[in-house]
Amino acid sequence: MSAGGTGLPEADRGEAGGVRTALAGLTTRGRSFLAAGIAAAICAYVLGQSDLLRVGLLLAALPLICATVLYRTRYRVAAGRRLAPARVPAGSEARVHLRVDNVSRLPTGLLMLQDRVPYVLGPRPRFVLDRVEPGGRREVSYRVRSDLRGRYPLGPLQLRLTDPFGMCELSRSFSTHDTLTVIPRVDPLTPVRFGGEARGYGDGRQRSLALAGEDDVIPRGYRYGDDLRRVHWRSTARYGELMVRREEQPRRSRCTVLLDTRGGAYEGAGPDSAFEWAVSGTASVLVHMLERGFTVRLLTDAGSSVPGEGADGFAGAGQETADAAGLMMDTLAVIDHSDGTGLSRAYDVLRGGNEGLLVAFLGDLDEEQAATVAKMSRRSGGAVAFVLDPDTWVREPTDVPRPGDRHAERLRLLRESGWTALSVPRGASLDGLWRQADRERSGLAVASGEALG
């Protein structure tokens, strides 16, 4: 719950410009009454009709009195906003709950609420609230939906006051606002092992110790069921309680997900574009591998990663896993095309160490870029690439001719260098490609074993 504040804005509490503010709030009805009253008063003065003069003064005084009373009224109103949920996948709805509390000792008049929302979330919601008793509360809600990921501000909340005759209308704005984060769509993926190359915990080939080395001895308190042969007698004598050796902690496999964000690698825009498919696929793989116990890292062609990410990526269990996934989803919610033209920065990051499993979502590649990607597989325990076919994702025909076998040549180059490279046509299912990659890697593992035999 975010408090919208109480009372009136500072600009309305001062006396300077009060008359101007009140007159500016006159509605069409109020301006018509004022104009009619002035005209009647002028005609009465010219014609010498005292009765007409009294009618004109009454018509002119009514909107002025309503504006003065409405301006001098000091409602003390508190407002709050709650998002459910505050982070929503693209294409899904979120509900915004508004609450208005009358914290004064006087009842309010007719109140109109209007919340400011970006146009991509839908029309501005408006609500009319009747008289709110002292200490009373009113709650309303509305729904927002966006097919485009991003971070959208909601608010500030506007409160519009009107008099019973509809002569004057004044607006009050609260200062606070909230942010709705629309994250990429996350598709559930089938658990696969990619031919036994990697697992979260266990016998995966690419693993990293949680401690500095295998020879480190960090004693801990004895627990029921510990092997007595692991008792560390020196620490036991020092601390006065039974201590055992903790030589190493469970090993965790690592996975790096590379997202190609080069603007020239994708064509088209919108929620059904090739780039949005790649972003959604990246989010799906990140969440899937993190839930399986991997240490996960997000990497882009610019070499950047998620703010707050450790050197090896995110790793955790339970609430830590949810927090890490949320942080990566927030990053992907606002990610956009980069100005780069190559993938050398990402390669420089990857060649610094053994990255375990490498999953890449790539756009259109030229010969130099394909050669750079081919070298990335040398420092990984397994490499899977989803290369978007540019010919099937083009929305409009282009004047530049494309060689028919260019995309196939790039795939063949990646496969020869050790990648499990799959072509991604328009409308492809990520889970289907995910299982296809597992079958191809399993087939390569079997073929390699037979060749060695």
Side-chain angles (χ1 to χ4, degrees):
M1 180 69 65
S2 59
T6 60
L8 300 178
E10 295 296 332
D12 295 329
R13 293 196 179 103
E15 295 297 334
V19 176
R20 186 184 310 169
T21 303
L23 294 179
L26 290 177
T27 61
T28 303
R29 179 185 299 178
R31 294 176 187 272
S32 301
F33 267 68
L34 182 61
I38 294 176
I42 294 176
C43 293
Y45 177 78
V46 173
L47 300 176
Q49 298 291 330
S50 59
D51 294 338
L52 182 60
L53 178 61
R54 286 192 291 269
V55 173
L57 293 178
L58 178 61
L59 292 177
L62 181 59
L64 295 178
I65 293 174
C66 291
T68 303
V69 172
L70 185 63
Y71 175 77
R72 302 292 295 181
T73 301
R74 298 305 186 191
Y75 293 137
R76 296 186 61 220
V77 178
R81 183 188 298 104
R82 179 171 57 88
L83 306 180
R87 185 186 291 117
V88 61
S92 301
E93 291 184 346
R95 183 167 289 275
V96 183
H97 300 269
L98 301 176
R99 188 189 71 186
V100 177
D101 297 313
N102 183 12
V103 296
S104 67
R105 298 180 179 179
L106 298 176
T108 67
L110 189 66
L111 301 179
M112 289 189 295
L113 297 179
Q114 176 177 286
D115 206 8
R116 292 185 179 180
V117 299
Y119 72 95
V120 296
L121 299 182
R124 289 188 176 183
R126 294 180 175 88
F127 305 94
V128 178
L129 302 181
D130 204 351
R131 178 179 178 273
V132 182
E133 65 278 3
R137 173 185 297 181
R138 298 291 185 271
E139 293 185 2
V140 293
S141 64
Y142 63 93
R143 294 177 297 179
V144 291
R145 180 181 181 273
S146 175
D147 293 329
L148 298 175
R149 55 186 176 81
R151 293 174 63 88
Y152 301 101
L154 299 179
L157 183 65
Q158 289 183 328
L159 183 66
R160 307 178 73 179
L161 311 176
T162 60
D163 64 279
F165 300 100
M167 297 291 179
C168 186
E169 184 178 274
L170 297 180
S171 297
R172 307 289 190 259
S173 296
F174 296 97
S175 58
T176 59
H177 66 275
D178 292 275
T179 301
L180 175 67
T181 303
V182 180
I183 63 176
R185 290 188 294 267
V186 176
D187 299 325
L189 301 179
T190 303
V192 297
R193 290 190 56 187
F194 290 119
E197 287 290 349
R199 293 177 60 185
Y201 290 102
D203 57 357
R205 184 162 60 90
Q206 303 300 332
R207 298 179 295 183
S208 61
L209 283 175
L211 300 179
E214 297 183 0
D215 296 333
D216 292 341
V217 178
I218 300 180
R220 62 168 174 82
Y222 175 81
R223 299 172 185 171
Y224 179 78
D226 286 339
D227 190 353
L228 294 178
R229 291 174 296 181
R230 296 176 55 195
V231 174
H232 195 258
W233 298 108
R234 181 179 301 176
S235 299
T236 300
R238 177 180 179 182
Y239 293 102
E241 59 177 327
L242 200 59
M243 307 291 292
V244 296
R245 295 189 300 271
R246 182 175 56 183
E247 298 174 351
E248 65 179 51
Q249 294 179 349
R251 299 180 178 184
R252 182 186 294 268
S253 295
R254 295 196 292 179
C255 175
T256 299
V257 182
L258 172 63
L259 174 60
D260 182 8
T261 62
R262 295 173 297 119
Y266 303 92
E267 297 188 24
D272 297 328
S273 63
F275 181 68
E276 293 301 323
W277 190 97
V279 174
S280 177
T282 301
S284 303
V285 173
L286 286 172
V287 172
H288 176 74
M289 303 306 289
L290 191 61
E291 291 177 349
R292 293 193 61 199
F294 280 70
T295 297
V296 180
R297 182 172 67 167
L298 172 62
L299 186 64
T300 65
D301 58 288
S304 60
S305 56
V306 181
E309 187 180 61
D312 295 331
F314 287 105
Q319 185 61 36
E320 295 181 0
T321 300
D323 294 340
L327 188 57
M328 288 188 291
M329 292 302 103
D330 290 343
T331 302
L332 291 176
V334 296
I335 200 168
D336 201 355
H337 291 293
S338 66
D339 297 331
T341 58
L343 298 165
S344 57
R345 293 184 180 180
Y347 173 69
D348 293 338
V349 176
L350 291 173
R351 70 177 181 178
N354 199 324
E355 298 300 329
L357 179 64
L358 176 60
V359 181
F361 290 86
L362 306 171
D364 191 15
L365 302 173
D366 59 21
E367 185 176 356
E368 180 181 358
Q369 295 160 358
T372 302
V373 175
K375 294 185 294 184
M376 295 180 183
S377 63
R378 301 173 185 174
R379 301 298 299 175
S380 65
V384 180
F386 299 96
V387 186
L388 279 77
D389 187 355
D391 294 328
T392 61
W393 288 90
V394 176
R395 294 195 172 195
E396 298 179 356
T398 59
D399 297 332
V400 180
R402 292 179 178 272
D405 58 349
R406 174 180 173 181
H407 182 65
E409 290 179 358
R410 305 296 181 255
L411 292 176
R412 184 173 63 252
L413 175 61
L414 296 182
R415 290 165 181 166
E416 291 176 353
S417 61
W419 284 85
T420 301
L422 300 180
S423 176
V424 181
R426 183 180 182 85
S429 170
L430 176 61
D431 185 58
L433 295 174
W434 185 256
R435 288 184 276 109
Q436 180 183 350
D438 177 56
R439 290 193 298 269
E440 292 191 8
R441 288 196 61 82
S442 300
L444 289 176
V446 172
S448 301
E450 292 177 354
L452 291 175

